[in-house]
C-alpha cells in the first residue's frame, strides 16, 4: 500500500479554484427544471416558538413564484433566512449550488440574491439617480468608490426606464410618492443584476393602477431571473404568479402549485382563501365549495 | 422618453454649482494667505493659526459625524496621539545628540527610553502623526462596528478612551511629562519665538487645512460619500445592497482620526506645548460643539464653526473670563434646538428660498437636493 502521489494541479485550473463572486454566472447544466433555489428541511425557532418547521422549497430560473399564507405563516422569516438576516436552526438553503446558510448578508448579495422590504427602504437623503447608482456599484472596490461618478451606468439607465422614474432622476428619494419608492427599491435590485429577487409585499398600500404597474414590472424582472414574491393580495397573485407555494403556521401547506391548483385545493381554501371569503360574505355559503367557483371566474377576468 | 434617457446618460452627474464653490474657496484662500498675515499682529496671527489647527479636527468630525452619523466624542485621543508623536520628535531634536530630552534629565534619566527611540527619525514621526491615530481608529472601528455598536454607545466608548488616554499620560510621567506635558521651542529648523518663522508656520497650517478640506470634499462627493450617508440613514438596508457597513464606517472614522492626528501635530509648534489638558473629555466635547455650531453636514461650515467659536472664546475670555463656559453651553443648546444645520444651514436656507422665489412653483425638488450638497 504505497501512498498515491497527488498529481500537481495547475494554479489556474477552474475546477479547483473557488468560485469568485465577480465571475460570470455559471450557465446551469442542462438539467431541465433544476431549481435555482433549493431549500431542504428548514426549521427555525425563536425561543420556544417554531416559526418554520421542515420547509422544503424549490424555485426555478425564470419563474414568478408567489409565497402566500395568513399572517404569521413564516413567509417573511423564510425570506430573512435566504438573505442571511436570520440563521435557521436546521436545514439548508442552496442557491445555484452555493450554500447560503452561514454567510453574511452582504456576501449573499454578491452571490446574486437581492431583496426588498415590507416598508420600502430607500436612501431618502440621496437622489433617485444616486440611489440607483449606489446599488449598481456594489461590486466596485474602495479605490473606485472614492472617485467622483460621471454619468450613469447602463444598468442605472435601464432601471430608470423600466421603473418609469427617469423624470425623477434628480429628485431626492425622500420626496417620492409611496408607490414610487417601492419601484425605486425594485429598480435598485434590477440595477444590481441579481439572479434571484425576493420581494416582500411589493404592492402593500398601492392603488389598483400602481398594482398593475408593479405586476408588469415583476413580469419584466422575471425574464431570465427568478422572482419570489411574498404577498397577501390574492387578486394580485392570480394575475401575476407562475407558481404558488402556500405556508401555514410555519409549514408548507401546498408546494410549487399553479394558481388554479391552489384555488382548487380545499385545505388551502379552508386556512386562507375560504376564511377570508367567509369573513367577507357570511351569507350562508359553506366555505370550500363557494370559495372555489367565484375565485376561478375572477381569474378568467384578470387573464 | 428615450431622448430624455439619452440626456440622463450623458449628463455629468454630481457637483452642481461648482463655480461659486470654487470662487468662495479662492476668496477664503486669498484672505488667509495674503490678507491675514499683513493685517494681523503676530499675536493674533498665532491665535488664528491655532483656530485653523482646530478647523482641521472639525473637518474630520464633520465627515464622521455629519456624513457618517458616528458621534465621535473622543477626538482628543487621536489629536493627542498625533500631538505627542510630534512633540517627542521635536524634543529629541532639541536635546543634545543621544541625550534624553530635558524634562527627563530632571528625574535622572540617562538614556532615551525605548518607546521614544524611533521618533528620532523625521520620516517615522511624520508617518506616525497620521498613521498612529488611523491605526487606532481602524482597530477600534473593526471591533466596535462589527458587533453593531452604534449611537450613544459608540459616543460614550470614544469618550471613555479619550479619558483613559489622559489617565495613561498623567500616570506615565517619566515618559510623557505627566500633567506638564511636552514643551517645544523649534519646528524643523523654525524658531518658534521668531515672528517670521511663526508666519511660515502659519502658512504651513493654512496649506495643511486646504489639503485636508480638499480630501474631505473628495470623500464627500465620491460614491463612497453617498454610501456613507446611506449607512448613516439606513445601515441595515446597505447590507442588502451588498456592502459591508463596517468597512464603510471604519474608513470615515479612520480618516477623521488621521485628520485629528495631523491637527495635534501642528498644534504642538503653534502653541508650543501639548499636555493632557488639551485632549481630555472637555476639549473633545468642545471639538464637537465647533462642528455643531458650524454645521455638521458641511465641511466648510465645520471650518467656520471651529474658527468662530474659538475666536468668540478668546474674545469673551479676555473680557469676561467666567462667562465663556455658560456662553458656550448656551450656544450649543440654541444650535441643537433651533438650527440643527448650524451656520452652514443658514446659508443653505437663504439659497433655497432665493431659488424658490426665482423659480416659482417648480423649485421644490431642486431645493430638496441642495440640502445635502454643502461640502
Amino acid at each position: 500500500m504505497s501512498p498515491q502521489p497527488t498529481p500537481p494541479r495547475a494554479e489556474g485550473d477552474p475546477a479547483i479554484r473557488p468560485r469568485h463572486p465577480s465571475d460570470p454566472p455559471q450557465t446551469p447544466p442542462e438539467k431541465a427544471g433544476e431549481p435555482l433555489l433549493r431549500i431542504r428541511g428548514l426549521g427555525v425557532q425563536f425561543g420556544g416558538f417554531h416559526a418554520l418547521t421542515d420547509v422544503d422549497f424549490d424555485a426555478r430560473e425564470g419563474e414568478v413564484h408567489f409565497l402566500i399564507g395568513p399572517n404569521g405563516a413564516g413567509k417573511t422569516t423564510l425570506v430573512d433566512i435566504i438573505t442571511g438576516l436570520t440563521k435557521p436552526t436546521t436545514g439548508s438553503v442552496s442557491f445555484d449550488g452555493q450554500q447560503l446558510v452561514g454567510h453574511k448578508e452582504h456576501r449573499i448579495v454578491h452571490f446574486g440574491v437581492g431583496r426588498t422590504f415590507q416598508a420600502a427602504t430607500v436612501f431618502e437623503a440621496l437622489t433617485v439617480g444616486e440611489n440607483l447608482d449606489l446599488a449598481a456599484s456594489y461590486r466596485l472596490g474602495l479605490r473606485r468608490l472614492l472617485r467622483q461618478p460621471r454619468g450613469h451606468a447602463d444598468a442605472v439607465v435601464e432601471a430608470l426606464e423600466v421603473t418609469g422614474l427617469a423624470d425623477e432622476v434628480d429628485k431626492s428619494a425622500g420626496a417620492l410618492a409611496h408607490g414610487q419608492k417601492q419601484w425605486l427599491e425594485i429598480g435598485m435590485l434590477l440595477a444590481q443584476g441579481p439572479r434571484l429577487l425576493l420581494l416582500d409585499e411589493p404592492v402593500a398600500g398601492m392603488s389598483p393602477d400602481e398594482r398593475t404597474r408593479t405586476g408588469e414590472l415583476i413580469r419584466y424582472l422575471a425574464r431570465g431571473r427568478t422572482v419570489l414574491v411574498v404577498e397577501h393580495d390574492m387578486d394580485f397573485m392570480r394575475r401575476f404568479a407562475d407558481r404558488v407555494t402556500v405556508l401555514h403556521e410555519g409549514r408548507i401547506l401546498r408546494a410549487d402549485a399553479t394558481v388554479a391548483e391552489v384555488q382548487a385545493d380545499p385545505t388551502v381554501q379552508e386556512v386562507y382563501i375560504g376564511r377570508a371569503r367567509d369573513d367577507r360574505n357570511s351569507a350562508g355559503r359553506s366555505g370550500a365549495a363557494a370559495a372555489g367557483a367565484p375565485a376561478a371566474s375572477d381569474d378568467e377576468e384578470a387573464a | 422618453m428615450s431622448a430624455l434617457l439619452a440626456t440622463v446618460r450623458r449628463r455629468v452627474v454630481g457637483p452642481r454649482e461648482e463655480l461659486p464653490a470654487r470662487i468662495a474657496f479662492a476668496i477664503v484662500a486669498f484672505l488667509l494667505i495674503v490678507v491675514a498675515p499683513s493685517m494681523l499682529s503676530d499675536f493674533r496671527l498665532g491665535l488664528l493659526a491655532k483656530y485653523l489647527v482646530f478647523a482641521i479636527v472639525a473637518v474630520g468630525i464633520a465627515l464622521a459625524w455629519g456624513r457618517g452619523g458616528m458621534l465621535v466624542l473622543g477626538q482628543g485621543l487621536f489629536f493627542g496621539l498625533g500631538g505627542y508623536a510630534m512633540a517627542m520628535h521635536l524634543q529629541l531634536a532639541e536635546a543634545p545628540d543621544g541625550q534624553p530630552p530635558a524634562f527627563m534629565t530632571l528625574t535622572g534619566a540617562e538614556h532615551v527610553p525605548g518607546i521614544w527611540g524611533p521618533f528620532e527619525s523625521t520620516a517615522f514621526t511624520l508617518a506616525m502623526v497620521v498613521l498612529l491615530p488611523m491605526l487606532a481608529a481602524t482597530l477600534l472601528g473593526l471591533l466596535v462596528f462589527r458587533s453593531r455598536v452604534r449611537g450613544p454607545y459608540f459616543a460614550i466608548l470614544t469618550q471613555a478612551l479619550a479619558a483613559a488616554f489622559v489617565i495613561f499620560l498623567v500616570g506615565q510621567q517619566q515618559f510623557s511629562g505627566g500633567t506638564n506635558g511636552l514643551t517645544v521651542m523649534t519646528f524643523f529648523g523654525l524658531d518658534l519665538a521668531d515672528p517670521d518663522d511663526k508666519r511660515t508656520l502659519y502658512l504651513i497650517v493654512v496649506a495643511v487645512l486646504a489639503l485636508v478640506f480638499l480630501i474631505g470634499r473628495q470623500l464627500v462627493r465620491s460614491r463612497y460619500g453617498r454610501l456613507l450617508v446611506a449607512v448613516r440613514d439606513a445601515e441595515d438596508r446597505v447590507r442588502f445592497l451588498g456592502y459591508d457597513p463596517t468597512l464603510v464606517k471604519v474608513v470615515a472614522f479612520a480618516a477623521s482620526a488621521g485628520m485629528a492626528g495631523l491637527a495635534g501635530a501642528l498644534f504642538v509648534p503653534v502653541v508650543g506645548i501639548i499636555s493632557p489638558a488639551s485632549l481630555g473629555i472637555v476639549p473633545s466635547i468642545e471639538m464637537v460643539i465647533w462642528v455643531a455650531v458650524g454645521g455638521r453636514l458641511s465641511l466648510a461650515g465645520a471650518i467656520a464653526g471651529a474658527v468662530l467659536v474659538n475666536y468668540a472664546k478668546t474674545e469673551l475670555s479676555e473680557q469676561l473670563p467666567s462667562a465663556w463656559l455658560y456662553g458656550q453651553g448656551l450656544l450649543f443648546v440654541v444650535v441643537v434646538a433651533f438650527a440643527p444645520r448650524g451656520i452652514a444651514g443658514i446659508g443653505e436656507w437663504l439659497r433655497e428660498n432665493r431659488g424658490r422665489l426665482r423659480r416659482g412653483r417648480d423649485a421644490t425638488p431642486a431645493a430638496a437636493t441642495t440640502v445635502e450638497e454643502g461640502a
Side-chain angles (χ1 to χ4, degrees):
Chain A
M1 257 219 327
S2 61
Q4 286 287 318
T6 42
R9 292 190 187 181
E11 226 173 77
D13 184 357
I16 55 162
R17 191 171 63 87
R19 209 179 113 72
H20 190 270
S22 64
D23 288 353
Q26 291 168 336
T27 38
E30 290 304 318
K31 278 178 264 174
E34 177 69 14
L36 182 69
L37 178 72
R38 189 182 192 90
I39 293 176
R40 286 294 173 268
L42 202 66
V44 64
Q45 274 179 274
F46 300 119
F49 172 67
H50 292 260
L52 287 177
T53 310
D54 199 23
V55 167
D56 292 349
F57 180 84
D58 287 338
R60 278 168 301 272
E61 195 117 36
E63 70 183 16
V64 176
H65 199 127
F66 271 61
L67 197 57
I68 63 168
N71 275 325
K75 307 180 296 287
T76 298
T77 306
L78 186 58
V79 171
D80 286 349
I81 290 173
I82 296 168
T83 54
L85 188 60
T86 302
K87 302 274 168 281
T89 322
T90 57
S92 67
V93 179
S94 102
F95 169 74
D96 191 22
Q98 165 74 46
Q99 189 52 236
L100 296 186
V101 174
H103 284 285
K104 291 202 163 191
E105 299 96 322
H106 62 95
R107 297 298 314 156
I108 290 176
V109 175
H110 282 250
F111 294 138
V113 180
R115 77 172 288 183
T116 63
F117 290 82
Q118 276 182 26
T121 320
V122 295
F123 307 117
E124 309 216 331
L126 303 178
T127 66
V128 169
E130 288 169 346
N131 269 276
L132 291 168
D133 180 74
L134 214 49
S137 309
Y138 78 109
R139 287 194 193 280
L140 298 184
L142 184 63
R143 270 177 54 196
R144 292 198 47 204
L145 285 177
L146 288 175
R147 290 198 207 132
Q148 284 188 28
R150 304 264 166 208
H152 284 306
D154 289 346
V156 172
V157 176
E158 185 198 357
L160 283 170
E161 194 164 15
V162 171
T163 56
L165 290 171
D167 287 328
E168 327 286 343
V169 63
D170 285 328
K171 205 174 185 174
S172 85
L176 293 180
H178 168 77
Q180 290 178 313
K181 282 184 191 170
Q182 292 278 16
W183 295 331
L184 174 57
E185 204 180 8
I186 293 172
M188 286 162 74
L189 280 194
L190 180 64
Q192 298 202 297
R195 297 179 61 203
L196 171 65
L197 289 85
L198 308 160
L199 309 181
D200 199 351
E201 298 196 13
V203 297
M206 280 189 177
S207 69
D209 283 353
E210 289 176 326
R211 280 164 199 249
T212 303
R213 282 203 59 188
T214 307
E216 286 161 1
L217 189 53
I218 288 172
R219 296 303 326 182
Y220 178 88
L221 293 176
R223 292 180 203 166
R225 301 182 190 86
T226 305
V227 184
L228 184 61
V229 184
V230 170
E231 209 23 273
H232 272 302
D233 186 321
M234 299 305 293
D235 176 53
F236 186 69
M237 183 268 284
R238 275 193 286 273
R239 290 168 62 196
F240 297 106
D242 289 325
R243 310 294 292 181
V244 182
T245 291
V246 187
L247 271 173
H248 179 54
E249 290 175 354
R251 292 172 185 276
I252 298 280
L253 193 65
R254 180 80 205 230
D256 202 12
T258 62
V259 173
E261 282 167 359
V262 166
Q263 286 183 318
D265 187 325
T267 21
V268 173
Q269 285 163 7
E270 196 172 317
V271 305
Y272 195 61
I273 304 172
R275 193 168 59 190
R277 289 196 171 263
D278 281 349
D279 292 348
R280 225 176 293 159
N281 40 18
S282 53
R285 295 184 189 175
S286 65
S297 62
D298 281 2
D299 190 39
E300 282 161 17
E301 277 170 35
Chain B
M1 183 74 166
S2 61
L4 172 70
L5 285 166
T7 54
V8 165
R9 195 194 303 255
R10 265 198 307 273
R11 200 197 45 222
V12 173
V13 185
R16 281 145 293 192
E17 302 180 23
E18 180 76 87
L19 191 63
R22 285 196 174 157
I23 293 171
F25 184 81
I27 291 172
V28 172
F30 179 75
L31 286 176
L32 288 177
I33 295 168
V34 179
V35 178
S38 59
M39 303 278 287
L40 295 177
S41 70
D42 294 337
F43 174 67
R44 293 286 163 193
L45 194 69
L47 286 177
L48 181 58
K50 188 173 79 170
Y51 306 157
L52 295 179
V53 163
F54 289 151
I56 296 173
V57 185
V59 172
I61 294 176
L63 204 61
W65 181 36
R67 296 283 157 171
M70 294 167 273
L71 179 50
V72 283
L73 272 184
Q75 291 302 85
L77 166 64
F78 307 120
F79 188 79
L81 284 173
Y84 271 85
M86 179 58 80
M88 284 156 77
H89 173 73
L90 296 180
Q91 283 226 338
L92 286 172
E94 285 167 25
D97 264 354
Q99 297 285 306
F103 83 91
M104 285 188 190
T105 55
L106 296 176
T107 55
E110 285 172 11
H111 304 287
V112 177
I115 47 163
W116 278 61
F119 288 93
E120 201 114 37
S121 150
T122 307
F124 179 81
T125 305
L126 290 180
M128 282 305 118
V129 153
V130 181
L131 292 184
L132 212 54
M134 288 184 81
L135 198 68
T138 302
L139 290 177
L140 180 66
L142 285 176
L143 218 67
V144 167
F145 299 138
R146 182 139 295 173
S147 40
R148 305 190 184 178
V149 172
R150 49 189 129 162
Y153 304 100
F154 172 74
I156 291 167
L157 191 71
T158 57
Q159 176 140 95
L161 283 173
F165 185 52
V166 165
I167 293 167
F168 169 80
L169 289 173
V170 173
Q172 301 295 314
Q173 187 164 7
Q174 68 276 27
F175 299 121
S176 69
T179 49
N180 294 332
L182 302 176
T183 326
V184 303
M185 319 289 277
T186 61
F187 181 69
F188 299 109
L190 296 179
D191 179 356
L192 297 178
D194 179 79
D196 282 341
D197 284 4
K198 287 183 84 166
R199 193 152 300 166
T200 308
L201 179 61
Y202 164 83
L203 290 174
I204 292 173
V205 171
V206 172
V208 172
L209 173 61
L211 183 71
V212 164
F213 173 74
L214 291 176
I215 291 173
R217 212 172 70 129
Q218 176 65 26
L219 283 176
V220 163
R221 293 193 165 187
S222 66
R223 276 202 184 92
Y224 168 79
R226 297 170 182 174
L227 188 56
L228 189 60
V229 169
V231 169
R232 177 193 72 191
D233 293 344
E235 180 169 340
D236 291 322
R237 187 70 189 88
V238 172
R239 283 180 220 287
F240 292 100
L241 280 190
Y243 298 99
D244 185 357
T246 302
L247 297 181
V248 177
K249 289 165 91 171
V250 161
V251 169
F253 186 39
S256 84
M259 290 173 185
L262 203 52
L266 287 170
F267 178 84
V268 172
V270 165
V271 178
I273 181 170
I274 185 140
S275 75
S278 344
L279 40 104
I281 288 182
V282 173
S284 297
I285 292 177
E286 281 180 336
M287 293 170 185
V288 171
I289 293 179
W290 308 332
V291 177
V293 170
R296 64 188 157 118
L297 293 178
S298 153
L299 301 182
I303 291 174
V307 173
L308 291 176
V309 173
N310 280 291
Y311 173 72
K313 181 181 183 176
T314 309
E315 289 297 310
L316 262 177
S317 306
E318 280 172 9
Q319 325 270 325
L320 302 157
S322 58
W324 169 244
L325 274 183
Y326 297 104
Q328 181 173 252
L330 193 68
L331 186 64
F332 185 58
V333 171
V334 166
V335 165
V336 168
F338 300 108
R341 282 190 273 150
I343 296 169
I346 298 170
E348 281 158 17
W349 184 85
L350 287 174
R351 212 185 310 156
E352 283 164 32
N353 285 283
R354 190 188 57 191
R356 194 164 292 154
L357 290 174
R358 191 187 301 156
R359 284 190 294 265
R361 285 170 302 170
D362 302 327
T364 337
T369 56
T370 54
V371 173
E372 278 302 314
E373 220 193 316

